[in-house]
Amino acid sequence: MTCFLCTACGAQFSERSEPPPACPICEDDRQFVPQSGQRWTDMATISRTHSVIWNQEAQGVHSLQISPAFAIGQRAFLIEGPHGNILWDCLSLVDEASAARIGAMGGLMAIAISHPHFYSSMVEWSTACGGVPIYLHADDGEWVQRPGPALRLWKGETLQLGPATFIRCGGHFAGSSVLHCPWLEAGRGALFVGDTMQVTLDRQFVSFMGSYPNLIPLNARTVNGISEAVRPYRFDSIYGAFAGRTIQTGGSPVLERSVQRYLRAIEG
């Protein structure tokens, strides 16, 4: 029995003897099935050719990424917190070195994931870190491909994880969420956004999409809703889902300017 991995989106599926007939996450309009068709692998196979690389992004913030790139190619974050460490978003590969490093740093208090494209091998990560709880918004529970006892489907608009706040914004998915960590950046705060908003290549703005690969925009009401959900929180840095996509300072006004720019663009 094998827990197969989708090579396009990186989602891990529950144990089975044969690969799944399809990947529901890829067949959804927000992702895509490659022209070559749906393909499958497993963690044992990719562990022979890939590894997890770490990078210290700032004091108390470490990014983790699979190298060479696999599936969507996102980065996860190990966030050091005053009440315990949080793994933000997830990867398809868990390696022994990363599990040992996290253990040496005091382990995890929680795994928190922004949306289904980054569920990846969340159950494996939880198991490797001692069965730590995995927090996903209940609005996206239908997209879980490998259930497990560590899953915690939360409801409502916010969830406290110690001093961090998990904020449901909607948009990209109904439960798309961000994580606000007020103690980072010397108390000026940081926002981890996944794909709920995307840091632009000039690192001067963020933008929004219903589907990034298929270029389906969001409407004004939805983008205003994202802005309203995050507006009560102050943050200096914004950490996006991909390597280098970090706004290092002025995060709160950047978001306000970005919303107004986006709304002007779609009004025309």
Side-chain angles (χ1 to χ4, degrees):
M1 301 291 280
T2 302
C3 291
F4 287 96
L5 288 167
C6 171
T7 62
C9 74
Q12 188 182 56
F13 286 65
S14 295
E15 283 189 325
R16 51 191 301 144
S17 58
E18 299 290 336
C23 175
I25 294 174
C26 288
E27 291 192 326
D28 177 69
D29 280 347
R30 285 160 287 202
Q31 181 56 14
F32 65 97
V33 177
Q35 285 190 333
S36 57
Q38 203 82 62
R39 295 185 179 178
W40 306 92
T41 186
D42 58 73
M43 194 174 299
T45 300
I46 64 170
S47 67
R48 293 195 286 269
T49 54
H50 295 68
S51 61
V52 177
I53 58 173
W54 288 58
N55 184 57
Q56 183 159 1
E57 303 286 340
Q59 184 66 38
V61 180
H62 309 263
S63 64
L64 290 72
Q65 199 163 9
I66 297 176
S67 180
F70 177 75
I72 294 173
Q74 76 273 12
R75 55 182 180 173
F77 291 91
L78 190 287
I79 304 165
E80 298 181 55
H83 294 208
N85 302 323
I86 298 171
L87 182 65
W88 170 250
D89 282 335
C90 219
L91 303 176
S92 299
L93 174 63
V94 186
D95 60 3
E96 292 182 5
S98 293
R101 183 168 179 174
I102 291 172
M105 296 171 69
L108 299 176
M109 64 171 285
I111 297 172
I113 304 183
S114 60
H115 73 295
H117 290 156
F118 299 159
Y119 287 176
S120 58
S121 294
M122 58 186 176
V123 171
E124 297 276 358
W125 278 92
S126 172
T127 300
C129 294
V132 61
I134 306 164
Y135 292 94
L136 320 171
H137 200 278
D139 285 353
D140 294 336
E142 66 184 287
W143 299 102
V144 173
Q145 304 303 319
R146 186 183 177 189
L151 293 183
R152 306 287 187 272
L153 300 181
W154 66 282
K155 299 180 179 181
E157 302 308 310
T158 62
L159 176 72
Q160 289 302 129
L161 297 175
T165 306
F166 208 177
I167 307 162
R168 191 198 74 84
C169 297
H172 185 47
F173 274 79
S176 283
S177 301
V178 299
L179 187 72
H180 180 246
C181 299
W183 68 90
L184 294 175
E185 311 298 339
R188 298 185 301 276
L191 193 71
F192 296 83
V193 298
D195 273 357
T196 303
M197 54 190 80
Q198 193 74 260
V199 175
T200 58
L201 285 171
D202 63 7
R203 280 75 164 176
Q204 300 297 315
F205 293 88
V206 297
S207 196
F208 315 88
M209 279 282 179
S211 169
Y212 292 96
N214 297 318
L215 303 178
I216 302 172
L218 294 173
N219 61 37
R221 178 181 57 81
T222 301
V223 172
N224 276 319
I226 294 171
S227 177
E228 289 299 319
V230 177
R231 185 168 287 127
Y233 303 90
R234 297 294 92 192
F235 45 92
D236 202 31
S237 297
I238 301 175
Y239 289 92
F242 300 100
R245 300 291 189 100
T246 301
I247 293 172
Q248 296 182 335
T249 190
S252 293
V254 162
L255 176 56
E256 294 292 337
R257 292 197 303 269
S258 298
V259 169
Q260 294 309 310
R261 184 172 82 157
Y262 184 94
L263 296 178
R264 287 195 301 272
I266 65 172
E267 282 170 0

